[in-house]
Amino acid sequence: MGRFYATTPIYYVNDAPHIGHAYSTVNADAVCRWHRLAGDEVFFLTGTDEHGLKVARAAEEHGLSPQEQADRTSARFVEAWELLDIAYDDFIRTTEQRHHRAVQALLQKIHDNGDIELGTYEGPYCVSCEAYYAEGDLVDGRCPIHLRPVEIFKEDNWFFKLSRYQQALLDWYEANPDAVTPESKRNEAIGLIRQGLDDISITRSSLTWGVPVPWAAGQVFYVWYDALVNYVTAIGYPDDEERFEAWWPAVHHVIGKDILRFHCVYWPAMLLAAGIDPARHVHVHGYLLVGGEKMSKSSTKLTAIAPADLVADFGVDAFRYHCLRNIAFGPDGEFSYEGMVARYNADLANNLGNLLSRVSTVVDKKCGGTGPAPSPDSPLATVAADVVAETAAGWERVAPSDALEATWRLIRETNAYLEAHEPWKAEPGPAVDAVLGDALEALRIVALLATPAMPSATAEIWRRIGLPGAPGDNVLPAAAAWGGYPGGVPVEKGSPLFPRK
Ligand code: MSP
């Protein structure tokens, strides 16, 4: 038992949520749900990033004030997360007063420490990234991420002396070898630091939509230097020291690889400069690709898929399952509707759905609808013990796909066990009861283990096999020990949980 603090990126409010955002949020949510199930005290933070030029321009295009634009779009993220069963503990908006206070306090501290100085900057800027690029980073004169034209910006403003932090960052990464996962992304972060670090322009005089700089009238902070601070705002910085220290620095930031530089270079340097320990874990995932391209909400191609469209076709749990299981956390993964149908039919309709329906049908026929107890020495008991350990290890290392693959092994083995014994062909009696009791126990354990991915479907399985409460009321690993199914409880023969597509 311990504390587990996890965050998603806070999403820009220039446009509506798409499944790329959902991918990050579902992964973080499932990992948090796992930790709750493991008895940890969890704080799960998400929210919206509401300042900056990109949002100001979107507002202008829509004929809205930036605040109206932010209010409307932030509400769409709240709605999307409600639809996807995201159990966050706090939803932060960077336009909130508590956040302004935190940004000003943290940056004032860096200023007081002497690491923010006045200067002039001129260079190519990508508004979609809200970031300056070096000429050498551009691809055919365009932003390397969005492949859109950059704009040349020149500003007199305040600079964070990032160049002073190269060695301190390298030392910190050496002392914290598990700070960035997967390993390839850690190497990328260290590579960026080794290349040499330029000072960063962190204020804007050309823009009013931001957090005012306390020591320079007429300037606001650069949106990234405002946004990153949300992770400390939400746990009480700067007012509630006790709360802050309870959760920091043992945080787990879940991010996409597009924002690695900000989280793995700028953010730890900022924190070091403010005298705060850097965030202990950053988990970096790849892109969801549609037709080989990164999905983007600003794309004019039909690649921006809304989570609601897929939920309408497959249901919330299947959508969550697909995000977690089909696209491993780390590398890029191709998303397609056909791929989703195939995964759904194989894992949910055929494996899990079929197990539940055949067990409940045979219990109805051979046991009068009352579920028998499992046998203590079932061959499935050792499989289950291995699966529980492997599933736990997968969630612990933020590899949901591995965790679910392990859980599904118990489903497959249980289906094979039923096929080997064919209880549907046998006469009712102790032998049939033993096989069905074992299968019910395996289903109970699967329902527990798959709860982080599919909270509703697993609660329904739990109910149908006659168990009280919900799987999420239990604490693992104790609750997943073999033999927990009581027997003598009613099993319901219901309609298919995952009808074939
Ligand atoms: N506002 C910043 C983040 C600030 S965090 C302090 C931002 N916002 S964003 O709306 O553009 O969201 C970026 C994040 O959304 C990515 O890092 C990733 O987590 C997720 N994704 C957006 N598109 C994605 C894909 N195509 N694939 C996977 N994740 C994607 O950047």
Side-chain angles (χ1 to χ4, degrees), residues 10-329:
I10 50 170
Y11 303 102
Y12 286 129
V13 289
N14 59 319
D15 209 347
H18 60 57
I19 60 171
H21 306 129
Y23 179 75
S24 293
T25 304
V26 166
N27 271 278
D29 178 66
V31 169
C32 285
R33 284 178 181 269
W34 174 265
H35 279 271
R36 286 193 198 103
L37 206 54
D40 288 340
E41 188 189 348
V42 171
F43 186 67
F44 176 30
L45 175 69
T46 190
T48 41
D49 189 355
E50 308 193 350
H51 293 126
L53 192 53
K54 182 166 158 138
V55 173
R57 283 194 180 165
E60 218 173 277
E61 272 169 33
H62 299 137
L64 299 171
S65 71
Q67 188 65 56
E68 284 167 342
Q69 167 75 27
D71 290 347
R72 288 187 190 188
T73 313
S74 184
R76 297 189 64 177
F77 278 91
V78 171
E79 251 169 53
W81 303 155
E82 201 173 303
L83 176 73
L84 296 181
D85 241 339
I86 304 300
Y88 55 77
D89 296 293
D90 194 358
F91 187 102
I92 191 166
R93 300 184 54 186
T94 55
T95 47
E96 289 172 62
Q97 263 319 305
R98 59 170 173 163
H99 183 63
H100 282 220
R101 280 184 43 64
V103 171
Q104 290 179 334
L106 192 122
L107 284 145
Q108 182 72 57
K109 205 157 173 192
I110 303 177
H111 182 254
D112 295 347
N113 291 348
D115 279 328
I116 293 178
E117 294 177 358
L118 205 53
T120 306
Y121 195 84
E122 180 167 8
Y125 192 86
C126 169
V127 176
S128 293
C129 290
E130 291 279 18
Y132 278 108
Y133 279 97
E135 288 290 347
D137 292 337
L138 302 179
V139 175
D140 297 333
R142 289 165 176 251
C143 159
I145 290 181
H146 295 89
L147 301 173
R148 290 153 73 103
V150 289
E151 298 174 44
I152 302 298
F153 279 15
K154 180 175 181 201
E155 295 190 80
D156 277 334
N157 45 32
W158 293 83
F159 280 73
F160 171 53
K161 304 301 286 180
L162 181 66
S163 55
R164 291 179 188 156
Y165 284 87
Q166 184 177 23
Q167 197 52 50
L169 285 172
L170 291 172
D171 293 347
W172 188 81
Y173 275 110
E174 196 170 322
N176 295 278
D178 60 348
V180 179
T181 68
E183 176 90 22
S184 59
K185 298 294 194 284
R186 167 190 152 82
N187 294 338
E188 197 176 320
I190 293 174
L192 288 172
I193 299 165
R194 287 219 177 98
Q195 268 174 30
L197 301 174
D198 292 333
D199 295 338
I200 305 262
S201 150
I202 62 158
T203 67
R204 298 285 179 266
S205 49
S206 54
L207 186 76
T208 52
W209 184 237
V211 178
V213 178
W215 64 85
Q219 299 231 9
V220 296
F221 285 111
Y222 165 44
V223 63
W224 269 102
Y225 272 66
D226 148 3
L228 289 161
V229 178
N230 90 87
Y231 302 132
V232 298
T233 306
I235 48 167
Y237 185 87
D239 303 317
D240 191 342
E241 230 170 279
E242 201 181 319
R243 181 159 173 247
F244 178 68
E245 273 164 21
W247 295 103
W248 197 266
V251 62
H252 294 256
H253 294 317
V254 170
I255 63 162
K257 69 179 188 183
D258 50 338
I259 55 177
L260 178 141
R261 178 193 296 267
F262 300 97
H263 284 79
C264 303
V265 182
Y266 297 0
W267 181 223
M270 260 172 102
L271 288 165
L272 287 171
I276 300 172
D277 282 340
R280 278 290 284 111
H281 305 277
V282 182
H283 305 287
V284 188
H285 65 70
Y287 292 151
L288 236 64
L289 305 172
V290 176
E293 280 182 51
K294 182 190 179 215
M295 189 172 11
S296 135
K297 52 189 168 186
S298 47
S299 168
T300 49
K301 299 183 193 88
L302 286 176
T303 49
I305 304 171
D309 296 342
L310 294 166
V311 168
D313 289 358
F314 295 91
V316 182
D317 288 275
F319 175 79
R320 291 174 59 102
Y321 179 78
H322 193 75
C323 286
L324 297 163
R325 174 66 186 90
N326 210 60
I327 299 132
F329 195 99

